[in-house]
Amino acid sequence: MTAFLIFFINLEICLEFIRTKKTELVQKNLNPSEITPLEWMLINQFLHELKQIDSQCVSVYYPYGKGMETISLLQETKRSESLEKIESKIEKRIFELKEKPPSVGKFTKTLCIFGWIKNDKVNIKEIGTSKKLPYVYMVSKRPFVKPFYDVLKIHHDVLLITLDQKTARIQKFNGNQIVQESKLRIDLQGRHRKGGQSQGRFLRARQTKIHVFFKKVASKVRMMASNSDLILLGGIGPAKSEFFGEIDSKLVKKCRFVKNLSFSTPQKDIEKKIIHHLYQHRKKFVEGIVAKYEKLVKEGLTAKRNDVIYKALKMGAVDTLIVSTDYHSDPKFKNIIKMLEIAKNTSSKIEFAASQKIIKKLEINDSVLAILRYKIK
């Protein structure tokens, strides 16, 4: 009886701990699958440095613990003499990282290494992330960073609008960096004073002034919104809802309301909100691609078998290659790695699917899917 009581008490303690952790996550508005603001910031900074590389680059992503398999893959693929020099240095670096892997998160799940030649010298940059990224081994004109963009929501352009009825702050983010900022303000009397115009006339004049102000803000938003993937709109009070009506239909599609956002919101919390909405935005985007694929199946403009897709890639017939982030767990991953490089170098779009729901639905654990530009025999 005593043993049962102790077991019951321990069980209650464990359940309470789980409930507390869940509550903390909800309070922080951070989904367990989402990257933390600190790791997101550090990877954004890393990719900002990679953007300076303007030469042929070898990009390698591999799961931690799979370094020797990756070295084997590099050795069995024959490249030009200059690329072989880069790969040789990457192989050496992989071996060194086996014991002490770097990570910008709490642990290392994926290692990413980039190598290129500048002034006849081989340069190497690497980063470790706590999130699972697809296995990649690719040579391209510049570093291949699409997995960061798709899976970790790095380096997206986001327009953040914080406003009330008399003040607006518009910030354009590229990743975690503010690349453009504008502040607008009007003098607005809050209450009707005794004497002078009637209260009705005062309220109409006040509303007209607010309306003109919102139009000016909307005009500024149109100027700053070019290339923005997402527009986030927030602020205390009804101003954001009133302002929403001033945005044109093209920008409305990109716009999302943000809860608990004010002019005093800390930068860390702002980044957390941006990350959350980027994950939601990507989810809807991938769902749209899946819907397009399912529609085109009936028209014969898709391919599912790896050999057919490989042939279509060689012909330049692939519009979009849909790849699961889980594919490296299957022996066929080497064929998929080749397909990724061909797709990158033939201007086919590559889209990585990280959602387990979508991966299961499309059955792409050990294969890829393709949307075709035209039918092939």
Side-chain angles (χ1 to χ4, degrees), residues 215-349:
K215 277 193 170 296
K216 185 183 291 186
V217 175
S219 177
K220 193 69 177 178
V221 167
R222 280 193 296 273
M223 292 171 60
M224 292 175 64
S226 60
N227 301 322
S228 293
D229 300 301
L230 199 58
I231 298 173
L232 301 181
L233 175 58
I236 304 301
K240 55 182 176 291
S241 299
E242 295 173 11
F243 172 74
F244 185 72
E246 301 294 337
I247 304 175
D248 62 47
S249 58
K250 185 178 178 182
L251 297 183
V252 162
K253 294 176 182 177
K254 296 182 178 182
C255 193
R256 304 288 183 273
F257 285 101
V258 182
K259 295 179 181 178
N260 303 319
L261 178 69
S262 69
F263 295 107
S264 60
T265 301
Q267 184 68 20
K268 184 179 178 181
D269 290 343
I270 287 175
E271 289 176 354
K272 195 183 296 182
K273 293 176 190 298
I274 290 174
I275 292 167
H276 176 71
H277 281 278
L278 281 172
Y279 269 81
Q280 295 303 310
H281 174 69
R282 178 65 188 177
K283 180 181 176 183
K284 290 183 179 179
F285 180 78
V286 174
E287 286 172 353
I289 293 172
V290 172
K292 180 180 178 181
Y293 174 84
E294 291 176 334
K295 179 183 176 183
L296 293 177
V297 165
K298 300 172 184 177
E299 300 176 27
L301 287 172
T302 63
K304 192 168 185 177
R305 282 173 41 199
N306 286 356
D307 58 336
V308 175
I309 296 173
Y310 190 84
K311 176 184 174 184
L313 283 166
K314 285 286 191 179
M315 296 168 60
V318 173
D319 174 77
T320 305
L321 193 68
I322 306 171
V323 187
S324 161
T325 55
D326 282 344
Y327 78 84
H328 56 63
S329 61
D330 188 272
K332 298 177 183 177
F333 80 91
K334 290 183 180 180
N335 291 330
I336 297 174
I337 282 178
K338 292 176 184 176
M339 289 189 223
L340 283 170
E341 186 168 284
I342 297 170
K344 175 64 178 175
N345 293 317
T346 55
S347 301
S348 297
K349 293 188 285 289

Side-chain angles (χ1 to χ4, degrees), residues 1 13 35 49 71 88 142 155 191 246 269 330 351:
M1 186 69 180
I13 292 171
I35 193 169
E49 295 171 9
I71 289 174
S88 178
R142 303 191 66 163
H155 256 287
R191 296 180 180 180
E246 301 294 337
D269 290 343
D330 188 272
E351 300 295 346

Side-chain angles (χ1 to χ4, degrees), residues 30 34 38 43 49 56 60 73 82-83 87 103 106 115 119 123 179 188 206 211 222 230 257 271 316 340 364 367:
L30 183 64
E34 294 176 9
L38 177 60
I43 297 177
E49 295 171 9
Q56 196 173 40
V60 178
L73 179 64
S82 59
L83 291 174
E87 293 186 354
S103 182
K106 289 185 178 180
N119 299 326
N123 295 270
V179 294
L188 191 67
R206 186 177 188 277
H211 179 68
R222 280 193 296 273
L230 199 58
F257 285 101
E271 289 176 354
L340 283 170
I364 53 174
S367 63

